[in-house]
């Protein structure tokens, strides 16, 4: 059966690009800015215009994520005005209720028995996160704060070049809790000289503070960063990969014992708590990316088929009578572009854009009601299939078979036959004990 994606609810990602200063490990698209220098109103107006230009009519809203950069530097009153604007773009659910009331409505997310609200996440730096700000963000429509704790060791925070102290990180988590918001906490481990016990001290403190979601990342040295430069000069202390692997396993065990589900390589949620927005992106659902440097992807309705694949058909090919009498399950019909008789005017399965990364260019394009895209791309089924593996195999659910080309299904099937991938009726997935070696497995694909 074809998925009816014509009324698929859309997620919205807003990139707030400013940071007070650049952290030496960070390769995100950021710009220098402080609350005094950010063009708060002009940015809000530009976002509103971009939303008007990009929003396809007739869709509901699935989730909202303000990322960056440092969204907690942006005036919460402007953020609230934008959330209200999003409400206005939702004809199916508008019906006279406020942004806050919408936020408290039943979530459209699957497995959301523990979440009865639309997810509106705002990334926050502990340096700004007071109870006053948390309350303002809540009143603006935020339901969840993603807090860049990173560590409860002042020494580690100093090495990472963070602006906050361990005490401020703790106060930030308490402020978010005090405002009654859902909390996600970021933790960076695997620092030079850091022991497993050092890193676990942060995990344990996060648990004591009552976090329900942890994003735990091993420090990676990216080429175009200050740390990358220091590493090239031989001036960065080396990282012991064995300790990093042991730390990964120790954090997983500690969170597992505390009732968390390890649902993505770097993400853990207590009970049913999940990052709904991120999960949608990993499942390859459409999202609008707004703001300087933001990326958005819209999938064409009906681009993939969502029927289950028979566990008996592990050939990577669609099931046909020639596959034998034991091919009893529902079968996957290839997307139309894979068929030899596909009409040449079939639209691409997805369309992606990347916005101009310059704030001036972004504001000026939208001031003239022009889209601020720097690049646009028509994605192929092969592009989407590769992303399905890269994104999906990092998750507990796995990569949707219906999103893979025959060639990729064949490669995945070979790894399944070799015992390196598991197969469910709808997905290929990596056995959890092999998540530590995910990069090698992806290379094998
Ligand atoms: S605050 Fe976050 S986005 Fe900004 S430079 Fe540091 S790590 Fe990067």
């Amino acid at each position: 059966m074809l998925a009816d994606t014509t009324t698929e609810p859309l997620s919205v990602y807003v990139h707030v690009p400013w940071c007070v200063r650049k952290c030496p490990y960070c390769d995100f698209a950021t710009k220098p800015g402080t609350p005094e220098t950010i063009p708060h109103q002009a940015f809000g107006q530009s976002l509103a215009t971009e939303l008007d230009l990009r929003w396809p009519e007739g869709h509901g809203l699935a989730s909202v994520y303000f990322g960056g950069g440092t969204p907690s530097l942006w005036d919460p009153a402007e953020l609230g005005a934008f959330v209200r604007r999003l409400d206005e773009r939702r004809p199916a659910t508008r019906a006279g209720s406020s942004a806050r009331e919408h936020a408290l409505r039943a979530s459209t997310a699957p497995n959301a028995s523990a979440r009865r609200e639309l997810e509106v996440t705002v990334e926050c730096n502990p340096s700004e996160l007071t109870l006053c700000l948390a309350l303002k963000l809540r009143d603006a429509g935020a339901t969840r704060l993603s807090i860049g704790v990173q560590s409860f060791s002042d020494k580690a925070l100093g090495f990472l070049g963070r602006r906050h102290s361990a005490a401020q990180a703790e106060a930030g988590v308490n402020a978010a809790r005090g405002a009654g918001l859902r909390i996600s906490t970021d933790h960076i481990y695997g620092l030079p000289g850091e022991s497993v016990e050092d890193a676990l001290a942060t995990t344990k403190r996060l648990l004591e503070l009552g976090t329900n979601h942890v994003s735990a990342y091993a420090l990676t040295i990216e080429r175009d960063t200050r740390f990358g430069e220091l590493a090239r000069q031989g001036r960065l202390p080396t990282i012991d990969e064995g300790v990093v692997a042991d730390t990964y396993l120790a954090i997983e065990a500690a969170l597992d014992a505390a009732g968390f589900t390890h649902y993505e390589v770097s993400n853990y949620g207590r009970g049913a708590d999940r990052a709904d927005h991120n999960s949608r992106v990993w499942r390859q659902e459409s999202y609008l990316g707004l703001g300087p440097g933001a990326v958005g992807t819209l999938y064409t309705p009906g681009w993939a088929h969502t029927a289950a694949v028979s566990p008996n058909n592990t050939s990577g090919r669609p099931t046909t009578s020639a596959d034998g009498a034991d091919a009893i399950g529902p079968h996957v019909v290839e997307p139309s572009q894979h068929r030899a008789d596909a009409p040449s005017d079939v639209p691409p399965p997805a369309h992606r854009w990347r916005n101009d990364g310059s704030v001036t260019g972004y504001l000026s394009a939208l001031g003239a009601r022009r889209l601020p895209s720097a690049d646009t791309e028509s994605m192929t089924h092969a592009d989407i299939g590769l992303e399905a593996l890269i994104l999906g195999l990092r998750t507990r659910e796995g990569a949707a078979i219906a999103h893979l080309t025959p060639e990729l299904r064949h490669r995945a099937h070979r790894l399944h036959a070799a015992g390196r991938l598991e197969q469910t009726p709808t997905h290929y997935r990596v056995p959890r004990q092999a998540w530590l070696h995910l990069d090698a497995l992806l290379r094998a694909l």
Side-chain angles (χ1 to χ4, degrees):
M1 188 176 104
L2 272 175
D4 177 9
T5 51
T6 51
T7 54
E8 176 194 23
L10 294 177
S11 294
V12 173
Y13 171 80
V14 176
H15 191 70
V16 185
W18 296 280
C19 291
V20 171
R21 66 170 188 241
K22 190 81 177 173
C23 301
Y25 59 90
C26 175
D27 71 344
F28 291 171
T30 68
K31 303 287 172 199
T34 64
E36 292 72 37
T37 61
I38 291 172
H40 295 273
Q41 251 190 326
F43 181 58
Q45 280 163 2
S46 295
L47 283 177
T49 305
E50 189 181 9
L51 181 69
D52 287 349
L53 294 174
R54 291 208 189 273
W55 185 271
E57 287 303 326
H59 290 258
L61 184 63
S63 62
V64 187
Y65 194 101
F66 293 90
T70 314
S72 50
L73 294 174
W74 190 33
D75 183 351
E78 291 292 334
L79 187 146
F82 182 75
V83 173
R84 286 195 296 280
R85 189 96 179 182
L86 280 171
D87 271 343
E88 291 164 13
R89 305 301 302 181
R90 292 193 290 149
T93 51
R94 189 165 56 219
S97 55
S98 69
R100 182 62 188 149
E101 286 164 336
H102 276 307
L104 294 171
R105 285 186 167 193
S107 168
T108 53
N111 305 318
S113 56
R115 296 191 309 276
R116 294 294 176 209
E117 59 188 16
L118 175 76
E119 183 179 281
V120 180
T121 301
V122 182
E123 286 183 354
C124 289
N125 191 317
S127 308
E128 288 86 47
L129 187 51
T130 58
L131 179 60
C132 178
L133 177 63
L135 290 169
K136 283 182 182 173
L137 289 171
R138 185 195 68 185
D139 292 344
T143 61
R144 180 175 181 269
L145 300 187
S146 174
I147 307 169
V149 170
Q150 314 312 358
S151 176
F152 285 117
S153 152
D154 281 326
K155 184 176 160 209
L157 290 170
F159 173 77
L160 291 170
R162 301 292 308 195
R163 286 188 294 124
H164 65 275
S165 63
Q168 281 176 304
E170 190 162 322
V173 174
N174 285 330
R177 286 190 66 198
L181 291 160
R182 286 174 58 204
I183 302 169
S184 177
T185 42
D186 287 353
H187 175 195
I188 298 179
Y189 63 91
L191 278 48
E194 185 184 63
S195 68
V196 174
E197 291 70 32
D198 292 339
L200 263 188
T202 289
T203 309
K204 286 176 184 161
R205 191 71 194 118
L206 287 174
L207 289 172
E208 286 163 4
L209 290 172
T211 189
N212 282 327
H213 191 275
V214 176
S215 299
Y217 301 97
L219 176 67
T220 50
I221 306 302
E222 305 292 348
R223 200 188 133 68
D224 295 325
T225 63
R226 177 71 183 139
F227 277 175
E229 190 184 333
L230 290 174
R232 280 194 297 283
Q233 295 167 352
R235 293 168 57 207
L236 195 72
T238 51
I239 294 171
D240 184 331
E241 293 303 330
V243 173
V244 175
D246 288 346
T247 306
Y248 168 92
L249 294 172
I251 290 173
E252 181 183 62
L255 292 173
D256 194 46
F260 282 62
T261 302
H262 193 177
Y263 71 98
E264 197 262 357
V265 170
S266 304
N267 284 278
Y268 303 79
R270 196 192 293 271
D273 198 300
R274 302 281 183 277
D276 182 38
H277 178 89
N278 295 353
S279 298
R280 289 173 180 278
V281 174
W282 297 330
R283 289 197 301 266
Q284 298 183 295
E285 296 179 17
S286 291
Y287 62 97
L288 296 186
L290 310 176
V295 175
T297 308
L298 286 180
Y299 294 92
T300 303
W303 75 274
H305 290 248
T306 55
V309 175
S310 164
N312 296 313
N313 173 18
T314 54
S315 66
R317 287 175 282 116
T319 308
T320 68
S321 56
D323 285 307
D326 62 344
I328 54 173
H331 67 272
V332 169
V333 177
E334 295 311 311
S336 55
Q337 281 196 317
H338 290 154
R339 297 198 305 259
D341 60 350
S344 56
D345 59 350
V346 172
H351 169 78
R352 175 167 292 170
W353 67 89
R354 179 185 299 277
N355 278 349
D356 187 344
S358 132
V359 173
T360 316
Y362 177 81
L363 298 180
S364 124
L366 286 156
R369 289 193 70 81
R370 271 189 292 107
L371 281 176
S373 312
D375 298 308
T376 57
E377 179 193 350
S378 293
M379 297 178 74
T380 64
H381 285 100
D383 296 333
I384 295 176
L386 273 176
E387 286 196 356
L389 292 175
I390 291 166
L391 298 173
L393 290 183
R394 292 177 58 87
T395 66
R396 192 180 183 88
E397 191 177 23
I401 297 172
H403 293 193
L404 305 180
T405 59
E407 164 66 17
L408 291 171
R409 282 183 210 165
H410 184 64
R411 285 195 228 166
H413 172 61
R414 284 211 318 259
L415 287 179
H416 170 60
R420 297 182 69 187
L421 285 181
E422 296 172 345
Q423 187 184 4
T424 70
T426 53
H427 290 75
Y428 281 111
R429 66 184 184 203
V430 178
R432 201 174 95 171
Q433 62 274 20
W435 278 13
L436 197 49
H437 311 293
L438 188 66
D439 288 346
L441 193 125
L442 285 173
R443 277 195 296 276
L445 275 163

